[in-house]
Amino acid sequence: KQGKQGGSDNMFLNMFQSSMIGGSIGSVSGGSATPTSSSSTSSKGKNARNDMEEAKKYVPFLFDFSYLHNPEEWEASLALPTAVTTATAKDGTATDNANQERETENLLELEREFAVNHRQSIEDYYELFFAIYNYQRDLNQFVEDLTKGFYIQYTVESVLLDLDGRALLCEAVWLYGVMLILMERLLPGPVRERIIIAYFRLFGRDGDISRIDVICKLCKTTGVSPPTSASQRSHKYPMDEEKLFSRYPLPVDLIRNVVGCLISDDIYQQSSAFPNIDHRSIRLSRQASMLYVILFFDPIVLREESAKLREIVDKYFHDNWVIHIYAGMTADLSLEWSRFPAAKSALDNVLEMDNVKRMHIHNAKLIGQCMAELRAYLTMGILTDSFVLDNRHDLLNTLRRCNIAVRWRVLHRRTSNANYYSIVCATVEKASTDPKLEGNFAVNDTHVVSLILLTSQLEMQLKDSFRDLIQRKESIWIGCRAQACTMMTDLAEYFKGDQTLARVSRHDGLIQWFGSMAGEIRDLAYESGDHFTVTGRKIQLCVQALEEVEQYDLVDRDVQVKAFLHEARGMLLQMARAVGINEDICDDIRWISDMSYGVESMKSYVQIIHTRISKDPSNVSLLQGFFLKLSSSLDGPVERLKQLNSPEAVRITNYYSSQLVAFVRNVLEIVPVSVFAIMVQMSDIIERRLQRLPLKVQGDKLIAYAQLGERYKLAMMAHEISIFADGILEMENTVIGGAQVNPRKLLDEGLRKELVSHVSELLNNLLQFDFSASSETVASMIKHQATTMRSLTSLSGRLEGFQVALECVEDYVCMHGLKMWHEELSRIMNYNVEQEVNKYLLKKVLDADSNFQSDIVPIPRFPRTQNEPSCINFMGRIVSMLVKITDAQYTTYSIEKSGWFMSDGSEVCGLKTVALIRRAIGVYGLTGVDRLLCYRILHELHRFVKFFRTNVSKQGVLLEQLRDELFPEWKTPKSAVAIYASGSKKTEMLMLPMLTCFRRVGQAQLLRRMIRFELQRCARVDAKMLQHTVSTLNASLLSEQHPLEGGSEDMKNTCDMSVAVGIGDPLGTIFMKTDPLEGLPVLMLFFVITYIPKLSYNPTFGSLSKVKEGYPIDGWPIIAGISTLLRQFHPSYAKSFLAYVGQFLRVSVQTYATRRQGKNEDATRLAADLKNSMVLLEQFCDIGGLSSSAIYEHVPQYVMEMCADLP
């Protein structure tokens, strides 16, 4: 299950854990579930906390099994908050009812969102539970078939007599128990119940609920709550295993037979790996963990059968009490068996305080001995091929002692018994490289890490040496044989006495003897049919003969001959030892060096390893062997699958490999962390202390610009970075399971991770704005706008410093700094935009589905700020800031000046502001702001359509009547003034929502227009060729009307690139596709009639501005909003709108002429409204890309010119 989804499950489980913490209706008592252990970094920790906070909103509709007793009552409880509100609001006003309905609707919408986003995860967990049930059912069926004799030659007893059969059957029972334990530990009972009820409620209608009964029985809570402490997440806590294992038990006879087999036999035959009787408990440790789990199927043994328990303890647990269960999970028998009288009594005999101290002292002494032996063997030049062959058994014994010492210490430092812990984890008063071998015999974590690193280094070298010897075994044989044969021939020639400088008389007997010995050695064939034992006996006789010939007086007096004979004997012995090397030795080393018990425990030692590397970066070279040692844990889960050639073996191997690689990455993380910490200091010097070098420098000021002291500091920092980088770059590529670990890639990923973390934190901290919409004034708006500009300026400087620092050190760490900067900055911006967009979507983009989030280089998420809780991250806060400083209540937009201005003419937001934002967050961030504004517009348009269909459609008869009265548009209707007055009054309640929509949409569109202009300007300066290329491609696509060969993906990339270089008009965007809204143009006419009197033409800004200060209305945003809304419908809607407004203008002209002749007091007001309407019509055509002729179709040109001259 973990291999299938990974990170997305953590967020999913947080929801159900929150329902336990939140104390929802029907929740069980007890603490939160212990989350799965992982080597999470700070960014992952922040993300997890944010997930937990986000998950609390789902608490009201996550029920436990109490729901099944009375589903109707629980469904009704979803409206409980509403009922409480109703009881408190006794006046029963319409507002209270509306709030209640809105609250209920929000809760139902939230439940729908939960079902849409997490259906797959719920179904996967449901299938997981059923798979466990299926496993036990199949196992019970197999045992029943064996008992009934369906497998003619086999019974349970005969299977247990077979070497492979007994191992497989014991493992089958053990794995069922392990699955139950892991289910209870990773998915506590309350979480399981809520998952199952969520499946039943949300997907029961279209899903398969026929298995709900068996799954409920399996997954019902045991009543034991998981511990709230997460100090030892991989350490098993006491559960009610007796209740859990008895729900779907296995046959008692099977359990008894399996237990008897495990007690009496060595089912894995590991005596060659641990032949010493003192190592029996290590050799049988895997069987011990099996016994621990399987005995829960027969708790009577644990409670009553003392004799059997004493036998088990004496054989398996006489020198240990903390055992490894599965995949790094451990258990303390002193705590686990304390509930069972017989088991506790048997274990108490062993776990007396004196015995525990004896075990501790023995292990401490063994660690000291091992450290001394390891330092001797790992001295450079010691482990040669001849040394390894000559001292093979001593080396293997050293490996056994080291691994035994490490295993005991690592496991028992996790004991839950306070008394035992004080002995095993005795503190050291003074730091030392070796354990204290007197007094309390203290062994700290540093000693354990040193022993593990040195042991793994010796194992790696021995494995490489033995593999090389096995591959070269035949060549070694042939080479040694040839050299020994040549020596015998040379000695025969020597005793002929014919050689120059050979002062020896001829001796025919020795000549013949050495010649025959050369023949004997030559006849020792590697490929002969003789068994290696026979060949070894021949070699032994040859060696013995060479020793005896030294007794001859003529040979004994000649030192040179004796040296030849000694070397020849060495060659013969080398042949014998080389031929004795086989794959069994590698298998023994694999069993000896197994560290599957420590895959979780090692995470607690990461900080110590980081400290060692920080003090001496060369320690990185020791980690390669450590990682290879940990890779031994990959063999257990897939061993049987590989034997079956199962296709699942590759997937599971890849999953465990990815987990181990993640741990490797976490261990090596100290190098990029240290490197980046230095880079931060460099960026600070570059940003704040180094002066910018101008294009021209006067000679007398050159020294001042040199700043030799600061540049010397930069050079020293770069040197320090190179030292750290060298340590990791010197590591060789390592294959761990199915994954290859490339040190250069790990360094690159680590630097990216630190870069992402620092930049994200910087963006989050600096892009926080202190706006309070309810208490803003003009003065406070100006103050906050100035503060915002300072924050953006500071941010742009800091980010520029990071970028320059990356470029300075890229050669020292073998990376492309500028490429890394742009890739990660783009990913940060796109991810935060994606998360901000989620609040507008029903189907959320979760981290597991995101194209920008990564488990290797995670982008952190931060909690929402108190000032702007509606914004998820800094991208939302930027958009919110732009919206607030351009609020129509305080500002007026001028399209000629391209900006928003206060009433005194001071600019609040203009092209300089957008340029500053671009320098702060880059082109990626600016395009992200554009995208968020698009979703904001889309959201407002959807709200308008919903408002129209729910509220305006009720006035359909009225709109139809008004449309009929105003038909045809080219003609002036009778009693037009009365029609307009009556229609305005009847539609008055609909105007305010329309004003809000048009104002927000238009405001966002004008912001997009400024952003597009800045992107276009930036592209013309920095990417002129790219802009021309994209523009040409865009024009060709529009003219040829042929889609790209790559399909929609290439078309989307082309559109994104067009936005990035500033091509296109934002006001021409089509945001949605919707059905026609009957009566919309008429309604918009009355909107214009209603709000035209509240506007007046401002020649300073060339726009319609508010008549009354503080009123939330502005001309250009309203016009842009109307244009955008009409753009979403057929062009006939815009034409109808122009026709109705044109008709209104003509009527207004006639009315003005009549009242002016009569010297009516309203003439002045009518003139102003008439002029405003004309400006609105002209600006609507201008911003919508319509020609002036579109106006003249409905209002004659001479009328327009006449109106322009009105006072």
Side-chain angles (χ1 to χ4, degrees):
K1 171 61 185 171
Q2 289 176 339
K4 191 170 184 179
Q5 285 189 317
S8 63
D9 288 342
N10 293 333
M11 179 179 179
F12 172 74
L13 289 178
N14 283 338
M15 300 173 190
F16 295 93
Q17 292 167 1
S18 296
S19 66
M20 297 166 57
I21 301 172
S24 62
I25 302 171
S27 62
V28 298
S29 61
S32 63
T34 304
T36 55
S37 60
S38 63
S39 55
S40 58
T41 59
S42 60
S43 62
K44 290 186 178 180
K46 292 176 183 176
N47 292 356
R49 288 192 295 272
N50 290 336
D51 287 342
M52 186 66 78
E53 290 298 323
E54 285 291 320
K56 290 181 179 179
K57 63 184 180 182
Y58 299 115
V59 167
F61 49 81
L62 295 178
F63 306 131
D64 59 15
F65 280 176
S66 301
Y67 173 88
L68 298 175
H69 300 310
N70 194 345
E72 293 79 8
E73 180 180 346
W74 288 94
E75 292 293 344
S77 69
L78 288 177
L80 184 60
T82 301
V84 174
T85 306
T86 305
T88 56
K90 296 184 179 180
D91 54 349
T93 62
T95 303
D96 292 330
N97 293 333
N99 291 336
Q100 296 163 16
E101 292 177 2
R102 193 179 305 111
E103 185 178 355
T104 303
E105 183 180 351
N106 290 340
L107 187 59
L108 294 176
E109 186 67 21
L110 189 64
E111 187 174 21
R112 180 166 169 248
E113 173 192 313
F114 172 81
V116 169
N117 288 285
H118 301 288
R119 172 166 189 157
Q120 187 60 47
S121 294
I122 292 176
E123 289 179 344
D124 287 343
Y125 278 104
Y126 190 80
E127 290 298 326
L128 170 67
F129 298 145
F130 188 68
I132 298 175
Y133 168 78
N134 265 346
Y135 181 89
Q136 65 82 25
R137 184 184 62 184
D138 294 343
L139 181 58
N140 274 314
Q141 186 63 45
F142 171 72
V143 173
E144 183 179 352
D145 292 346
L146 273 177
T147 305
K148 291 181 177 180
F150 289 172
Y151 303 96
I152 299 174
Q153 297 180 351
Y154 295 100
T155 61
V156 173
E157 291 75 14
S158 62
V159 169
L160 290 175
L161 291 176
D162 182 79
L163 186 61
D164 293 327
R166 71 176 71 166
L168 289 171
L169 192 56
C170 292
E171 288 177 12
V173 178
W174 168 66
L175 284 174
Y176 175 44
V178 168
M179 282 189 281
L180 295 177
I181 291 174
L182 287 176
M183 180 184 72
E184 179 68 15
R185 178 183 165 275
L186 301 178
L187 297 170
V191 173
R192 296 195 303 269
E193 291 189 358
R194 283 162 173 77
I195 291 175
I196 295 170
I197 295 302
Y199 179 88
F200 179 76
R201 289 184 61 244
L202 302 178
F203 316 123
R205 294 181 180 178
D206 54 349
D208 183 8
I209 60 171
S210 60
R211 307 171 295 189
I212 192 75
D213 292 338
V214 295
I215 292 179
C216 287
K217 180 180 177 181
L218 175 68
C219 299
K220 184 178 180 181
T221 181
T222 59
V224 178
S225 301
T228 56
S229 173
S231 58
Q232 290 186 336
R233 293 178 174 177
S234 61
H235 198 63
K236 179 181 174 295
Y237 61 87
M239 311 169 182
D240 193 348
E241 293 91 351
E242 186 175 353
K243 181 185 295 185
L244 186 65
F245 282 50
S246 63
R247 290 174 178 172
Y248 287 102
L250 297 176
V252 177
D253 290 341
L254 171 68
I255 300 301
R256 293 274 174 161
N257 289 334
V258 168
V259 169
C261 179
L262 289 172
I263 293 176
S264 60
D265 298 331
D266 180 2
I267 64 175
Y268 292 110
Q269 302 293 313
Q270 295 184 28
S271 57
S272 61
F274 296 99
N276 195 321
I277 186 62
D278 294 335
H279 305 160
R280 181 179 65 178
S281 61
I282 303 298
R283 183 175 76 243
L284 300 176
S285 59
R286 190 172 179 184
Q287 290 182 220
S289 66
M290 288 184 179
L291 266 174
Y292 164 76
V293 174
I294 294 174
L295 284 174
F296 285 121
F297 286 105
D298 191 9
I300 296 177
V301 177
L302 293 171
R303 284 197 300 265
E304 301 175 3
E305 300 186 16
S306 302
K308 188 175 294 185
L309 263 299
R310 283 197 298 271
E311 181 183 359
I312 293 174
V313 170
D314 291 342
K315 185 174 183 179
Y316 294 98
F317 308 118
H318 67 280
D319 58 356
N320 66 95
W321 69 93
V322 180
I323 63 170
H324 169 236
I325 302 176
Y326 183 83
M329 184 172 64
T330 56
D332 188 344
L333 295 185
S334 64
L335 183 64
E336 296 289 334
W337 281 0
S338 60
R339 298 165 290 157
F340 305 100
K344 184 178 185 299
S345 175
L347 201 59
D348 287 345
N349 294 332
V350 174
L351 295 184
E352 295 179 354
M353 296 300 293
D354 291 340
N355 284 342
V356 174
K357 290 179 181 179
R358 179 184 55 79
M359 296 179 205
H360 164 67
I361 293 172
H362 173 74
N363 180 262
K365 291 180 178 179
L366 187 60
I367 290 176
Q369 176 187 350
C370 291
M371 295 286 282
E373 293 179 359
L374 287 170
R375 292 193 182 100
Y377 286 136
L378 291 175
T379 304
M380 185 174 293
I382 294 295
L383 292 178
T384 60
D385 289 348
S386 59
F387 182 86
V388 171
L389 288 173
D390 293 342
N391 300 275
R392 182 182 70 185
H393 297 292
D394 292 339
L395 289 169
L396 290 179
N397 284 331
T398 297
L399 279 187
R400 292 186 180 99
R401 288 191 291 270
C402 292
N403 279 279
I404 290 171
V406 168
R407 182 187 179 96
W408 193 93
R409 185 61 56 176
V410 167
L411 289 178
H412 290 81
R413 288 183 74 83
R414 300 168 65 82
T415 182
S416 303
N417 188 297
N419 295 327
Y420 303 156
Y421 185 85
S422 63
I423 297 174
V424 176
C425 301
T427 56
V428 184
E429 293 82 4
K430 186 177 180 181
S432 60
T433 56
D434 290 333
K436 183 180 178 183
L437 300 182
E438 59 182 3
N440 60 359
F441 290 83
V443 179
N444 59 25
D445 289 340
T446 305
H447 302 146
V448 177
V449 169
S450 298
L451 179 60
I452 293 173
L453 293 179
L454 294 177
T455 302
S456 60
Q457 191 72 7
L458 179 62
E459 289 172 359
M460 182 181 70
Q461 294 187 20
L462 285 181
K463 287 178 182 178
D464 293 341
S465 180
F466 281 122
R467 288 195 195 100
D468 184 61
L469 288 172
I470 291 172
Q471 292 179 355
R472 295 188 301 111
K473 183 163 60 173
E474 185 175 357
S475 61
I476 292 174
W477 175 282
I478 296 173
C480 291
R481 184 184 63 185
Q483 290 186 38
C485 185
T486 302
M487 289 178 181
M488 295 299 101
T489 304
D490 290 345
L491 287 174
E493 293 293 328
Y494 176 79
F495 282 105
K496 287 182 179 180
D498 297 337
Q499 296 181 1
T500 306
L501 301 179
R503 299 177 181 179
V504 64
S505 57
R506 181 182 178 87
H507 194 292
D508 293 333
L510 288 177
I511 293 171
Q512 183 180 0
W513 192 88
F514 281 114
S516 62
M517 180 58 68
E520 290 287 338
I521 294 175
R522 193 179 297 111
D523 291 339
L524 294 174
Y526 182 82
E527 303 86 356
S528 65
D530 296 337
H531 193 272
F532 282 130
T533 304
V534 177
T535 304
R537 180 61 179 167
K538 291 180 180 179
I539 293 175
Q540 182 184 5
L541 292 175
C542 291
V543 171
Q544 186 177 354
L546 292 178
E547 290 175 348
E548 292 174 353
V549 77
E550 281 192 13
Q551 306 302 320
Y552 192 68
D553 182 64
L554 186 61
V555 175
D556 187 55
R557 287 180 298 165
D558 197 323
V559 177
Q560 185 177 2
V561 173
K562 292 179 68 176
F564 258 61
L565 291 175
H566 179 74
E567 188 174 354
R569 290 198 301 272
M571 292 296 173
L572 290 173
L573 291 175
Q574 194 89 327
M575 292 168 59
R577 290 169 181 149
V579 80
I581 300 295
N582 52 39
E583 292 291 342
D584 292 341
I585 294 178
C586 293
D587 291 339
D588 288 343
I589 294 178
R590 181 172 64 85
W591 282 108
I592 293 170
S593 61
D594 175 62
M595 204 175 187
S596 57
Y597 62 88
V599 291
E600 293 292 334
S601 304
M602 288 301 104
K603 294 174 183 177
S604 60
Y605 298 103
V606 171
Q607 190 59 44
I608 297 174
I609 299 175
H610 285 176
T611 304
R612 288 175 61 107
I613 297 175
S614 298
K615 294 180 179 178
D616 184 7
S618 63
N619 278 319
V620 175
S621 60
L622 297 175
L623 296 179
Q624 186 171 3
F626 174 56
F627 298 148
L628 289 174
K629 182 177 180 66
L630 283 176
S631 65
S632 62
S633 62
L634 302 177
D635 298 333
V638 296
E639 180 181 1
R640 299 303 185 188
L641 293 175
K642 287 181 177 178
Q643 293 175 359
L644 289 171
N645 295 322
S646 171
E648 292 294 314
V650 176
R651 185 178 65 85
I652 297 175
T653 300
N654 291 338
Y655 167 71
Y656 283 102
S657 299
S658 66
Q659 297 297 302
L660 187 54
V661 170
F663 175 75
V664 171
R665 192 176 289 107
N666 189 27
V667 172
L668 294 177
E669 191 179 45
I670 184 61
V671 175
V673 167
S674 302
V675 169
F676 206 86
I678 300 172
M679 285 175 55
V680 171
Q681 300 176 23
M682 294 178 67
S683 69
D684 184 70
I685 293 175
I686 294 170
E687 177 196 354
R688 302 182 180 180
R689 302 184 189 177
L690 285 186
Q691 300 181 32
R692 297 301 176 95
L693 192 64
L695 296 178
K696 294 182 179 180
V697 182
Q698 296 181 7
D700 57 344
K701 296 183 179 179
L702 191 59
I703 296 179
Y705 279 107
Q707 295 181 276
L708 299 180
E710 305 299 333
R711 297 190 187 277
Y712 175 75
K713 292 180 181 178
L714 289 176
M716 291 300 296
M717 290 178 182
H719 174 67
E720 192 174 352
I721 285 175
S722 67
I723 293 176
F724 273 104
D726 284 344
I728 193 171
L729 294 177
E730 288 177 358
M731 288 180 62
E732 299 178 357
N733 290 355
T734 306
V735 178
I736 297 180
Q740 185 176 20
V741 178
N742 187 331
R744 291 178 181 269
K745 186 177 179 182
L746 290 180
L747 178 60
D748 179 81
E749 292 170 349
L751 289 174
R752 287 176 182 268
K753 182 177 180 180
E754 289 303 306
L755 175 64
V756 167
S757 177
H758 280 76
V759 172
S760 297
E761 188 168 1
L762 191 64
L763 290 167
N764 178 70
N765 293 338
L766 291 183
L767 295 178
Q768 295 188 17
F769 312 107
D770 188 16
F771 287 98
S772 179
S774 59
S775 61
E776 288 294 344
T777 62
V778 174
S780 64
M781 284 290 296
I782 296 175
K783 178 182 176 181
H784 292 155
Q785 190 265 351
T787 305
T788 299
M789 296 304 106
R790 287 194 296 270
S791 297
L792 292 172
T793 304
S794 174
L795 176 62
S796 62
R798 295 291 299 276
L799 292 182
E800 185 179 355
F802 275 136
Q803 181 178 347
V804 175
L806 271 176
E807 295 177 14
C808 288
V809 303
E810 59 182 357
D811 293 334
Y812 299 100
V813 293
C814 301
M815 68 175 187
H816 303 289
L818 192 59
K819 178 183 177 184
M820 178 188 296
W821 172 261
H822 285 295
E823 288 178 350
E824 296 308 318
L825 188 62
S826 169
R827 204 164 62 85
I828 291 171
M829 297 300 173
N830 287 322
Y831 172 75
N832 282 279
V833 169
E834 186 179 69
Q835 294 303 305
E836 191 70 35
V837 165
N838 273 343
K839 66 185 180 183
Y840 298 114
L841 303 177
L842 177 62
K843 175 64 176 176
K844 312 294 184 184
V845 180
L846 304 179
D847 281 1
D849 305 322
S850 174
N851 294 325
F852 307 108
Q853 184 61 285
S854 168
D855 290 333
I856 298 175
V857 187
I859 301 174
R861 297 198 307 273
F862 300 92
R864 306 185 187 195
T865 61
Q866 293 182 352
N867 290 333
E868 296 174 290
S870 62
C871 300
I872 298 175
N873 52 54
F874 67 89
M875 290 301 298
R877 293 197 292 272
I878 290 177
V879 174
S880 177
M881 177 269 296
L882 288 174
V883 169
K884 288 178 180 177
I885 66 175
T886 59
D887 191 352
Q889 185 175 355
Y890 310 102
T891 62
T892 299
Y893 181 77
S894 173
I895 199 167
E896 284 79 7
K897 296 183 178 182
S898 295
W900 277 267
F901 296 84
M902 303 296 288
S903 57
D904 59 357
S906 59
E907 184 179 275
V908 177
C909 179
L911 295 177
K912 292 182 180 179
T913 305
V914 178
L916 182 58
I917 293 174
R918 195 261 310 159
R919 289 198 298 273
I921 61 178
V923 173
Y924 313 110
L926 205 55
T927 55
V929 172
D930 179 82
R931 185 181 171 196
L932 285 176
L933 288 172
C934 287
Y935 274 97
R936 178 182 171 88
I937 295 170
L938 179 62
H939 177 66
E940 292 296 332
L941 292 176
H942 279 307
R943 287 182 60 185
F944 177 82
V945 172
K946 183 178 179 180
F947 158 76
F948 193 95
R949 297 191 188 282
T950 55
N951 293 4
V952 179
S953 296
K954 298 177 182 178
Q955 307 289 337
V957 176
L958 172 63
L959 295 178
E960 185 70 23
Q961 179 184 353
L962 293 173
R963 185 170 60 180
D964 292 341
E965 291 175 350
L966 297 175
F967 182 82
E969 295 85 357
W970 55 267
K971 184 179 179 181
T972 302
K974 296 179 181 179
S975 305
V977 176
I979 295 173
Y980 291 144
S982 173
S984 299
K985 186 175 182 180
K986 291 179 179 178
T987 59
E988 183 180 2
M989 296 298 294
L990 304 176
M991 293 298 107
L992 187 57
M994 294 179 65
L995 173 64
T996 303
C997 174
F998 294 154
R999 187 183 71 237
R1000 290 177 178 175
V1001 171
Q1003 180 188 26
Q1005 284 287 61
L1006 294 174
L1007 284 170
R1008 290 186 64 219
R1009 193 169 182 267
M1010 294 175 60
I1011 289 172
R1012 194 67 59 91
F1013 180 82
E1014 173 62 21
L1015 291 172
Q1016 187 180 35
R1017 186 196 65 80
C1018 183
R1020 285 178 179 175
V1021 175
D1022 299 332
K1024 188 174 182 179
M1025 293 298 296
L1026 175 63
Q1027 188 183 49
H1028 287 320
T1029 302
V1030 175
S1031 179
T1032 304
L1033 175 60
N1034 185 56
S1036 66
L1037 291 173
L1038 293 175
S1039 61
E1040 296 179 5
Q1041 298 182 355
H1042 291 303
L1044 291 175
E1045 294 180 358
S1048 59
E1049 188 64 28
D1050 283 354
M1051 183 64 74
K1052 180 180 180 299
N1053 293 336
T1054 304
C1055 293
D1056 292 342
M1057 189 63 70
S1058 299
V1059 173
V1061 297
I1063 297 175
D1065 181 14
L1067 291 163
T1069 307
I1070 305 297
F1071 291 97
M1072 66 177 184
K1073 180 182 178 182
T1074 184
D1075 295 331
L1077 300 180
E1078 294 296 332
L1080 178 61
V1082 178
L1083 185 64
M1084 295 180 70
L1085 166 66
F1086 287 98
F1087 173 83
V1088 171
I1089 294 173
T1090 301
Y1091 287 106
I1092 275 295
K1094 295 178 174 61
L1095 296 169
S1096 64
Y1097 181 72
N1098 189 330
T1100 304
F1101 301 130
S1103 65
L1104 297 172
S1105 60
K1106 63 184 76 63
V1107 175
K1108 183 180 179 181
E1109 288 296 328
Y1111 195 79
I1113 190 171
D1114 189 18
W1116 275 114
I1118 297 295
I1119 296 169
I1122 293 173
S1123 176
T1124 301
L1125 176 64
L1126 292 175
R1127 180 78 64 170
Q1128 313 310 308
F1129 299 92
H1130 192 271
S1132 61
Y1133 276 63
K1135 292 181 180 180
S1136 297
F1137 174 71
L1138 284 175
Y1140 284 124
V1141 177
Q1143 186 184 50
F1144 170 70
L1145 276 174
R1146 296 197 305 272
V1147 172
S1148 299
V1149 169
Q1150 292 180 1
T1151 306
Y1152 172 74
T1154 302
R1155 295 187 180 182
R1156 182 180 182 185
Q1157 291 174 359
K1159 298 183 180 181
N1160 194 305
E1161 296 178 357
D1162 294 336
T1164 304
R1165 182 179 57 81
L1166 284 173
D1169 292 349
L1170 184 58
K1171 190 173 182 178
N1172 291 343
S1173 301
M1174 181 194 68
V1175 172
L1176 183 143
L1177 203 59
E1178 289 177 341
Q1179 291 183 349
F1180 173 80
C1181 292
D1182 182 34
I1183 205 169
L1186 302 176
S1187 63
S1188 299
S1189 60
I1191 302 177
Y1192 301 149
E1193 291 180 6
H1194 308 286
V1195 182
Q1197 185 174 0
Y1198 71 89
V1199 176
M1200 299 290 292
E1201 294 173 354
M1202 182 183 66
C1203 292
D1205 297 331
L1206 289 174

